[in-house]
Amino acid sequence: MPIRVRLNVMLAERNAKSKDLAEHVGITEANLSLLKQGKVKGIRFETLERICAYLDCQPGDLLRFEPD
């Protein structure tokens, strides 16, 4: 899939923990892990908004289009 999720990069840059992010966003750590691995088919804008608010970033910082 040409959309790459850069959530791990943003977490590392912000010295944030997945557990804390999952709690803030209101999703399980398992679902956050699937998101980080790019194994989800979609994400709610509300969830994306909460992730961006927590990490102080833009949606484009989390997602990249990389054609095959």
Side-chain angles (χ1 to χ4, degrees):
M1 184 159 94
I3 301 294
R4 302 287 178 230
V5 180
R6 300 182 64 246
L7 187 51
N8 275 336
V9 174
M10 294 304 297
L11 285 167
E13 287 178 1
R14 303 295 197 265
N15 292 320
K17 295 181 181 179
S18 294
K19 179 180 179 180
D20 296 334
L21 176 60
E23 184 177 315
H24 176 82
V25 172
I27 61 176
T28 66
E29 289 181 62
N31 283 339
L32 184 62
S33 178
L34 291 172
L35 178 59
K36 288 192 306 185
Q37 295 173 47
K39 293 186 176 183
V40 296
K41 297 290 182 187
I43 182 171
R44 292 182 178 175
F45 283 136
E46 181 180 352
T47 302
L48 185 58
E49 180 182 328
R50 288 179 180 177
I51 291 171
C52 288
Y54 185 84
L55 295 175
D56 189 28
C57 67
Q58 295 295 315
D61 297 329
L62 298 171
L63 304 171
R64 289 280 188 259
F65 176 70
E66 298 176 1
D68 293 333

